[in-house]
Amino acid sequence: MNSSYHRRVPLRGELGDSTSSQLSISASPSILIPLGATEQHGPHLPLDTDTRIATAVARGVGERLGWLVAPAIAYGASGEHQSFDGTISIGTDALTTLLVEYGRSAGCWAQRLVFVNGHGGNVSALNTAIGRLRAEGRDAGWCPCFSAGGDAHAGHTETSVLLHISPGAVRTDQMLAGNAAPLRELLPSMQRGGVAAVSRTGVLGDPTTATAAEGGRILREMVDDCARRIERWIPGADGMLT
């Protein structure tokens, strides 16, 4: 057999397209795991918006850093959207358990794990789970899909990114401006009654200003931010890469 077959080389691309034998002869891989949600995003965006964005960011980072991108985790803690049809939330406790067990399993063969988070409601579970994984000696972290000045939900930011990565999924004829008040002002009402308490349509922001060009810029900013965090590799006490 050709001895080059045994040369340990890094794998890149999609974990789901790889084989176990490829992993066993490669240099210890590091993996990016997109973490999204299945929840309402107004009348104009698909239920998997957060998962699509997290996957696009993870793929951009993976291509830049030479990491594998795992299949996305498409369910999260989305209880604040439960008043709207289509939302499927597994809650913080179940998500925490899922992330811990995922990390324990993947950590048996992966060198590093980074969860790329596309939904704010997942943060509490991530903080607990990644903190626990790190306390157990696993080299795990997480990073947000961050864009400076972004609005809260299904508004300019997310709609722009979807127009860039999945234009056919955006119902542009259904775009309506929602509640554009700062999130800090909306949180008390949302904590009592969810998003429905502050927005009839489920939109927090203004999608009517969104463009595909702006979405491309925002996605690049998210990829740049996540890649910088990973390259620095300074996990906080909660596991978020700073």
Side-chain angles (χ1 to χ4, degrees):
M1 184 178 294
N2 191 321
S3 62
S4 65
Y5 180 81
H6 296 285
R7 188 181 305 127
R8 299 178 71 82
V9 295
L11 279 179
R12 60 193 306 158
E14 302 286 323
L15 176 64
D17 290 335
S18 306
T19 67
S20 180
S21 57
Q22 282 179 303
L23 288 164
S24 67
I25 64 169
S26 72
S28 296
S30 295
I31 61 171
L32 297 152
I33 309 101
L35 174 60
T38 300
E39 63 184 35
Q40 73 84 21
H41 273 79
H44 65 291
L45 290 181
L47 296 168
D48 65 349
T49 289
D50 292 340
T51 308
R52 292 185 191 225
I53 293 174
T55 300
V57 173
R59 284 174 173 162
V61 174
E63 187 173 316
R64 183 176 302 182
L65 302 184
W67 285 34
L68 281 169
V69 178
I73 299 171
Y75 298 95
S78 302
E80 68 275 18
H81 298 284
Q82 197 61 70
S83 298
F84 296 88
D85 291 346
T87 296
I88 301 174
S89 173
I90 64 172
T92 296
D93 290 345
L95 181 60
T96 300
T97 299
L98 186 156
L99 296 175
V100 169
E101 295 303 327
Y102 189 114
R104 287 171 175 168
S105 179
C108 291
W109 52 267
Q111 180 180 13
R112 276 182 170 171
L113 316 171
V114 173
F115 293 90
V116 179
N117 182 45
H119 171 54
N122 296 338
V123 168
S124 180
L126 279 163
N127 289 345
T128 301
I130 307 307
R132 187 177 305 166
L133 289 169
R134 293 194 60 76
E136 294 173 354
R138 294 171 175 86
D139 207 4
W142 73 273
C143 63
C145 295
F146 175 75
S147 173
D151 51 10
H153 186 75
H156 174 87
T157 302
E158 290 184 318
T159 304
S160 291
V161 176
L162 263 289
L163 285 170
H164 175 66
I165 64 174
S166 299
V170 182
R171 299 180 64 186
T172 55
D173 60 327
Q174 298 294 314
M175 294 194 304
L176 298 170
N179 193 332
L183 187 58
R184 64 181 179 276
E185 296 179 11
L186 300 177
L187 276 176
S189 295
M190 287 174 57
Q191 288 167 347
R192 292 190 297 270
V195 173
V198 297
S199 174
R200 180 181 58 81
T201 64
V203 176
L204 303 177
D206 187 359
T208 66
T209 60
T211 66
E214 177 70 353
R217 182 197 66 78
I218 293 169
L219 181 61
R220 287 191 297 273
E221 183 178 345
M222 290 177 173
V223 170
D224 289 345
D225 178 75
C226 187
R228 281 196 299 268
R229 291 171 188 263
I230 292 172
E231 288 176 323
R232 285 198 299 260
W233 200 260
I234 308 174
D238 55 6
M240 187 174 83
L241 301 174
T242 59

